[in-house]
Short mmCIF file of all heavy atoms in Angstrom, two decimals:
data_model
loop_
_atom_site.label_atom_id
_atom_site.label_comp_id
_atom_site.label_asym_id
_atom_site.label_seq_id
_atom_site.Cartn_x
_atom_site.Cartn_y
_atom_site.Cartn_z
N VAL Q 86 22.13 13.16 3.58
CA VAL Q 86 21.89 13.37 5.02
C VAL Q 86 22.90 12.56 5.84
O VAL Q 86 23.18 11.40 5.53
CB VAL Q 86 20.47 12.91 5.44
CG1 VAL Q 86 20.23 13.20 6.93
CG2 VAL Q 86 19.40 13.61 4.62
N GLY Q 87 23.43 13.18 6.87
CA GLY Q 87 24.33 12.45 7.77
C GLY Q 87 24.66 13.35 8.94
O GLY Q 87 24.39 14.55 8.92
N GLY Q 88 25.24 12.75 9.98
CA GLY Q 88 25.57 13.55 11.14
C GLY Q 88 26.77 13.00 11.86
O GLY Q 88 27.34 11.97 11.48
N ASP Q 89 27.16 13.71 12.92
CA ASP Q 89 28.36 13.30 13.65
C ASP Q 89 28.07 12.24 14.71
O ASP Q 89 28.92 11.91 15.52
CB ASP Q 89 29.09 14.52 14.25
CG ASP Q 89 28.23 15.29 15.26
OD1 ASP Q 89 27.21 14.75 15.73
OD2 ASP Q 89 28.59 16.44 15.58
N GLY Q 90 26.86 11.71 14.70
CA GLY Q 90 26.53 10.58 15.57
C GLY Q 90 26.17 10.98 16.98
O GLY Q 90 25.98 10.13 17.85
N ARG Q 91 26.03 12.29 17.23
CA ARG Q 91 25.72 12.72 18.59
C ARG Q 91 24.28 12.36 18.96
O ARG Q 91 23.46 12.04 18.09
CB ARG Q 91 25.97 14.21 18.76
CG ARG Q 91 25.04 15.11 17.98
CD ARG Q 91 25.34 16.57 18.25
NE ARG Q 91 26.69 16.95 17.92
CZ ARG Q 91 27.45 17.70 18.75
NH1 ARG Q 91 26.97 18.14 19.90
NH2 ARG Q 91 28.67 18.02 18.39
N PHE Q 92 23.99 12.43 20.24
CA PHE Q 92 22.67 12.14 20.76
C PHE Q 92 21.61 12.92 19.97
O PHE Q 92 21.79 14.12 19.73
CB PHE Q 92 22.61 12.51 22.24
CG PHE Q 92 21.32 12.15 22.91
CD1 PHE Q 92 21.07 10.85 23.32
CD2 PHE Q 92 20.35 13.11 23.11
CE1 PHE Q 92 19.87 10.52 23.93
CE2 PHE Q 92 19.15 12.79 23.72
CZ PHE Q 92 18.90 11.50 24.13
N PHE Q 93 20.53 12.26 19.58
CA PHE Q 93 19.42 12.84 18.81
C PHE Q 93 19.64 12.73 17.30
O PHE Q 93 18.77 13.04 16.51
CB PHE Q 93 19.16 14.31 19.20
CG PHE Q 93 17.74 14.77 18.92
CD1 PHE Q 93 16.68 14.19 19.59
CD2 PHE Q 93 17.47 15.75 17.98
CE1 PHE Q 93 15.37 14.60 19.34
CE2 PHE Q 93 16.16 16.17 17.73
CZ PHE Q 93 15.12 15.59 18.40
N ASN Q 94 20.84 12.27 16.88
CA ASN Q 94 21.14 12.10 15.46
C ASN Q 94 20.13 11.17 14.80
O ASN Q 94 19.54 11.49 13.76
CB ASN Q 94 22.55 11.50 15.36
CG ASN Q 94 23.18 11.61 13.99
OD1 ASN Q 94 23.78 12.62 13.67
ND2 ASN Q 94 23.05 10.58 13.18
N GLN Q 95 19.92 9.99 15.42
CA GLN Q 95 19.03 8.98 14.82
C GLN Q 95 17.60 9.49 14.72
O GLN Q 95 16.96 9.38 13.68
CB GLN Q 95 19.00 7.70 15.68
CG GLN Q 95 20.30 6.98 15.80
CD GLN Q 95 20.78 6.41 14.48
OE1 GLN Q 95 21.68 6.97 13.88
NE2 GLN Q 95 20.19 5.31 14.03
N THR Q 96 17.11 10.08 15.83
CA THR Q 96 15.73 10.58 15.85
C THR Q 96 15.54 11.60 14.74
O THR Q 96 14.54 11.58 14.02
CB THR Q 96 15.46 11.28 17.21
OG1 THR Q 96 15.96 10.45 18.23
CG2 THR Q 96 14.01 11.58 17.43
N ALA Q 97 16.51 12.50 14.62
CA ALA Q 97 16.39 13.56 13.61
C ALA Q 97 16.40 12.96 12.21
O ALA Q 97 15.63 13.38 11.34
CB ALA Q 97 17.53 14.56 13.78
N ILE Q 98 17.24 11.95 11.97
CA ILE Q 98 17.31 11.37 10.62
C ILE Q 98 15.97 10.72 10.25
O ILE Q 98 15.48 10.87 9.14
CB ILE Q 98 18.47 10.36 10.51
CG1 ILE Q 98 19.78 11.15 10.54
CG2 ILE Q 98 18.37 9.54 9.23
CD1 ILE Q 98 20.99 10.42 10.08
N GLU Q 99 15.37 10.04 11.21
CA GLU Q 99 14.07 9.41 10.92
C GLU Q 99 13.05 10.45 10.47
O GLU Q 99 12.32 10.25 9.50
CB GLU Q 99 13.56 8.67 12.17
CG GLU Q 99 14.28 7.33 12.38
CD GLU Q 99 14.18 6.81 13.79
OE1 GLU Q 99 13.24 7.20 14.51
OE2 GLU Q 99 15.07 6.01 14.18
N VAL Q 100 13.04 11.59 11.15
CA VAL Q 100 12.09 12.66 10.79
C VAL Q 100 12.46 13.24 9.42
O VAL Q 100 11.59 13.48 8.57
CB VAL Q 100 12.09 13.76 11.88
CG1 VAL Q 100 11.33 14.99 11.43
CG2 VAL Q 100 11.50 13.21 13.18
N ILE Q 101 13.75 13.45 9.19
CA ILE Q 101 14.17 14.06 7.91
C ILE Q 101 13.79 13.16 6.74
O ILE Q 101 13.34 13.63 5.69
CB ILE Q 101 15.69 14.35 7.94
CG1 ILE Q 101 15.97 15.47 8.94
CG2 ILE Q 101 16.20 14.75 6.55
CD1 ILE Q 101 17.44 15.66 9.29
N VAL Q 102 13.96 11.84 6.92
CA VAL Q 102 13.59 10.91 5.84
C VAL Q 102 12.10 11.05 5.53
O VAL Q 102 11.69 11.18 4.36
CB VAL Q 102 13.91 9.45 6.26
CG1 VAL Q 102 13.37 8.47 5.24
CG2 VAL Q 102 15.41 9.26 6.44
N GLN Q 103 11.29 11.06 6.57
CA GLN Q 103 9.83 11.16 6.37
C GLN Q 103 9.43 12.49 5.72
O GLN Q 103 8.53 12.54 4.89
CB GLN Q 103 9.12 11.02 7.73
CG GLN Q 103 9.32 9.65 8.37
CD GLN Q 103 8.77 9.58 9.79
OE1 GLN Q 103 8.53 10.60 10.43
NE2 GLN Q 103 8.57 8.36 10.27
N MET Q 104 10.14 13.55 6.09
CA MET Q 104 9.79 14.87 5.54
C MET Q 104 10.37 15.06 4.13
O MET Q 104 9.75 15.72 3.30
CB MET Q 104 10.28 15.97 6.48
CG MET Q 104 9.50 15.98 7.80
SD MET Q 104 9.91 17.36 8.88
CE MET Q 104 9.29 18.74 7.92
N ALA Q 105 11.52 14.47 3.87
CA ALA Q 105 12.11 14.58 2.53
C ALA Q 105 11.18 13.91 1.51
O ALA Q 105 10.88 14.48 0.45
CB ALA Q 105 13.49 13.92 2.50
N ALA Q 106 10.69 12.72 1.86
CA ALA Q 106 9.78 12.00 0.95
C ALA Q 106 8.54 12.84 0.70
O ALA Q 106 8.10 13.00 -0.45
CB ALA Q 106 9.41 10.66 1.58
N ALA Q 107 7.98 13.41 1.75
CA ALA Q 107 6.74 14.18 1.62
C ALA Q 107 6.95 15.50 0.89
O ALA Q 107 6.00 16.07 0.35
CB ALA Q 107 6.17 14.45 3.01
N ASN Q 108 8.19 15.97 0.85
CA ASN Q 108 8.48 17.25 0.19
C ASN Q 108 8.99 17.09 -1.24
O ASN Q 108 9.55 18.03 -1.81
CB ASN Q 108 9.48 18.06 1.02
CG ASN Q 108 8.79 18.86 2.13
OD1 ASN Q 108 8.25 19.93 1.89
ND2 ASN Q 108 8.77 18.31 3.34
N GLY Q 109 8.84 15.90 -1.79
CA GLY Q 109 9.14 15.70 -3.20
C GLY Q 109 10.56 15.32 -3.55
O GLY Q 109 10.91 15.15 -4.71
N VAL Q 110 11.43 15.17 -2.54
CA VAL Q 110 12.80 14.72 -2.81
C VAL Q 110 12.70 13.30 -3.41
O VAL Q 110 11.91 12.47 -2.95
CB VAL Q 110 13.64 14.71 -1.51
CG1 VAL Q 110 15.00 14.05 -1.73
CG2 VAL Q 110 13.81 16.13 -0.98
N GLY Q 111 13.49 13.02 -4.45
CA GLY Q 111 13.39 11.71 -5.09
C GLY Q 111 14.29 10.67 -4.48
O GLY Q 111 13.98 9.49 -4.42
N ARG Q 112 15.46 11.13 -4.03
CA ARG Q 112 16.46 10.17 -3.53
C ARG Q 112 17.23 10.79 -2.36
O ARG Q 112 17.69 11.93 -2.44
CB ARG Q 112 17.44 9.85 -4.67
CG ARG Q 112 18.57 8.92 -4.25
CD ARG Q 112 19.35 8.41 -5.42
NE ARG Q 112 20.19 9.43 -6.03
CZ ARG Q 112 21.38 9.19 -6.61
NH1 ARG Q 112 21.84 7.96 -6.68
NH2 ARG Q 112 22.07 10.18 -7.14
N LEU Q 113 17.34 10.02 -1.30
CA LEU Q 113 18.17 10.45 -0.15
C LEU Q 113 19.39 9.56 -0.09
O LEU Q 113 19.28 8.34 -0.16
CB LEU Q 113 17.41 10.27 1.16
CG LEU Q 113 16.55 11.39 1.72
CD1 LEU Q 113 16.16 11.06 3.15
CD2 LEU Q 113 17.24 12.74 1.67
N ILE Q 114 20.55 10.18 0.04
CA ILE Q 114 21.79 9.42 0.25
C ILE Q 114 22.13 9.61 1.73
O ILE Q 114 22.29 10.75 2.19
CB ILE Q 114 22.95 10.00 -0.59
CG1 ILE Q 114 22.57 10.15 -2.05
CG2 ILE Q 114 24.23 9.19 -0.40
CD1 ILE Q 114 22.62 8.92 -2.87
N ILE Q 115 22.21 8.50 2.47
CA ILE Q 115 22.46 8.62 3.91
C ILE Q 115 23.70 7.81 4.28
O ILE Q 115 23.92 6.71 3.75
CB ILE Q 115 21.24 8.09 4.71
CG1 ILE Q 115 19.96 8.77 4.24
CG2 ILE Q 115 21.44 8.31 6.20
CD1 ILE Q 115 18.71 8.35 4.99
N GLY Q 116 24.48 8.32 5.19
CA GLY Q 116 25.66 7.60 5.66
C GLY Q 116 25.26 6.35 6.43
O GLY Q 116 24.19 6.32 7.05
N HIS Q 117 26.11 5.34 6.40
CA HIS Q 117 25.85 4.10 7.13
C HIS Q 117 25.60 4.42 8.60
O HIS Q 117 26.37 5.16 9.21
CB HIS Q 117 27.09 3.20 6.97
CG HIS Q 117 26.85 1.79 7.36
ND1 HIS Q 117 27.84 0.98 7.83
CD2 HIS Q 117 25.73 1.04 7.36
CE1 HIS Q 117 27.35 -0.21 8.10
NE2 HIS Q 117 26.06 -0.20 7.82
N ASN Q 118 24.53 3.92 9.14
CA ASN Q 118 24.09 4.20 10.52
C ASN Q 118 23.80 5.69 10.75
O ASN Q 118 23.80 6.16 11.88
CB ASN Q 118 25.14 3.73 11.55
CG ASN Q 118 25.29 2.23 11.51
OD1 ASN Q 118 24.29 1.51 11.49
ND2 ASN Q 118 26.52 1.74 11.48
N GLY Q 119 23.60 6.40 9.66
CA GLY Q 119 23.26 7.82 9.78
C GLY Q 119 24.45 8.70 10.07
O GLY Q 119 24.31 9.88 10.38
N ILE Q 120 25.64 8.13 9.97
CA ILE Q 120 26.83 8.88 10.36
C ILE Q 120 27.70 9.24 9.15
O ILE Q 120 27.96 8.40 8.29
CB ILE Q 120 27.65 8.04 11.38
CG1 ILE Q 120 26.83 7.91 12.67
CG2 ILE Q 120 28.99 8.66 11.67
CD1 ILE Q 120 27.53 7.18 13.77
#
Side-chain angles (χ1 to χ4, degrees):
V86 183
D89 61 16
R91 67 178 59 226
F92 184 79
F93 205 64
N94 196 85
Q95 297 294 104
T96 314
I98 289 196
E99 283 159 23
V100 170
I101 292 168
V102 173
Q103 296 173 342
M104 292 186 67
N108 275 280
V110 172
R112 177 169 72 147
L113 270 192
I114 309 280
I115 307 182
H117 194 208
N118 296 314
I120 293 183

